[in-house]
Amino acid sequence: MTDTGATPNLRELNKRRTREAISHAATRLFIERGFDRTTIAEVAAAAGVSKMTVTNHFPRKEDLFFDLHEELVVRLARTVAERTPGESALAALRRDCLAGLDRHDPRLGFSGPDFAGTIAESPALGARFRELHEQSEAALAEALAESVHTPPADAGEGVDFESRVAAALLAAVDRAVAAEVFRRVLAGEEHGAIAAAVRPSALRAFDRLEGALGSYAVREE
C-alpha cells in the first residue's frame, strides 16, 4: 500500500532544502561581494536553481539575507500571546529578551562580524532591518490590543492608542538591545562578552518601565 502521507512531507522537505540552499548561497555571495553588487541571477546560479525559484522563495532581495525575517517580526507578539498565567506583557518580554541574550539569539543581533559588516555597508539592508523592527512593533501592538480588550477594539478603528504606546515602549527596549549587540558584533567582540555586557543594561531598561507597564496586560490566572 502506498503511503499517501509521505508525498506532501517529502515535498515540504525539498522546499525547505531548496530555500536553505538559496539562503546559504546568497549570504556567502553578499558577504564576499557586497549586497548591492550581487544580483539575483548570480544567487540563482550559485544555488543551482532558476531565478524564478529564488524569487518564489524570497520575493524581496533583502530577505535573502534576512532569512529569519518572519521570526523577527512575530517574536515579540508571540511572546505576549504565549505568556504564562499571572505574567504581564512586560515580564514576558523581559524573560524572552534575557533568554535570547543568554543563548546568543540571531534575532537579537548575534551574528558574525562579516554578516554585521554587510548590513552596515548596505543602505538597503539597513532600511530593511529598520522596517522589520517597525513591523515587529506593529504586530506587538496588535497582540497587546487583543490581550487587553474584551471584546476586541472595533476593527474599523485599528489598534487603540494605549496598545500602540505600550508596544512602542516595550519594542524600544528590544530594539536598543539588538542595536547594542549589533554594534559590539561589528566591533569584533565575542558573543559571551557581548551578552554579559548588554544584560545589565537590558534589565535596567525593563525595570524603568515597571512603574508604567508592570501591571499592564497581565494574563488571567
Side-chain angles (χ1 to χ4, degrees):
M1 181 182 297
T2 302
D3 184 0
T4 56
T7 302
N9 291 338
L10 180 59
R11 186 181 299 115
E12 289 302 316
L13 178 61
N14 287 336
K15 284 176 62 177
R16 185 163 62 249
R17 286 174 174 170
T18 299
R19 181 183 176 88
E20 290 175 353
I22 294 170
S23 177
H24 292 161
T27 300
R28 176 176 56 80
L29 289 177
F30 292 154
I31 289 175
E32 289 176 356
R33 306 179 185 180
F35 177 81
D36 300 321
R37 292 187 294 275
T38 303
T39 66
I40 297 294
E42 290 170 333
V43 171
V49 299
S50 69
K51 184 177 177 180
M52 182 176 292
T53 298
V54 173
T55 55
N56 283 342
H57 283 277
F58 300 93
R60 297 182 61 160
K61 181 184 176 185
E62 291 84 357
D63 291 337
L64 280 163
F65 194 76
F66 295 120
D67 58 339
L68 292 175
H69 66 279
E70 294 174 350
E71 280 295 312
L72 195 155
V73 168
V74 304
R75 181 174 65 84
L76 300 182
R78 180 185 293 161
T79 298
V80 167
E82 297 177 352
R83 68 197 186 286
T84 60
E87 189 175 38
S88 68
L90 172 63
L93 291 170
R94 178 198 288 120
R95 170 175 51 78
D96 181 74
C97 180
L98 296 179
L101 286 170
D102 291 343
R103 66 174 177 268
H104 308 159
D105 193 332
R107 297 172 300 178
L108 275 179
F110 287 96
S111 64
D114 290 338
F115 188 94
T118 302
I119 298 173
E121 292 170 1
S122 171
L125 287 179
R128 179 56 173 154
F129 198 41
R130 290 189 293 273
E131 182 183 17
L132 291 173
H133 279 291
E134 290 170 0
Q135 291 174 355
S136 175
E137 181 181 320
L140 174 59
E142 292 181 4
L144 290 171
E146 290 176 3
S147 69
V148 170
H149 294 285
T150 307
D154 184 355
E157 298 178 358
V159 176
D160 65 285
F161 182 79
E162 184 182 22
S163 296
R164 285 188 280 118
V165 171
L169 292 171
L170 292 167
V173 177
D174 193 80
R175 186 177 296 144
V177 167
E180 182 62 11
V181 169
F182 179 85
R183 183 186 72 80
R184 289 174 178 273
V185 167
L186 198 59
E189 295 183 28
E190 188 268 330
H191 284 185
I194 293 173
V198 176
R199 197 181 214 292
S201 297
L203 271 171
R204 285 194 297 271
F206 280 114
D207 287 347
R208 288 185 182 277
L209 294 180
E210 190 68 39
L213 296 173
S215 59
Y216 177 75
V218 177
R219 186 165 189 172
E220 294 183 1
E221 297 281 357

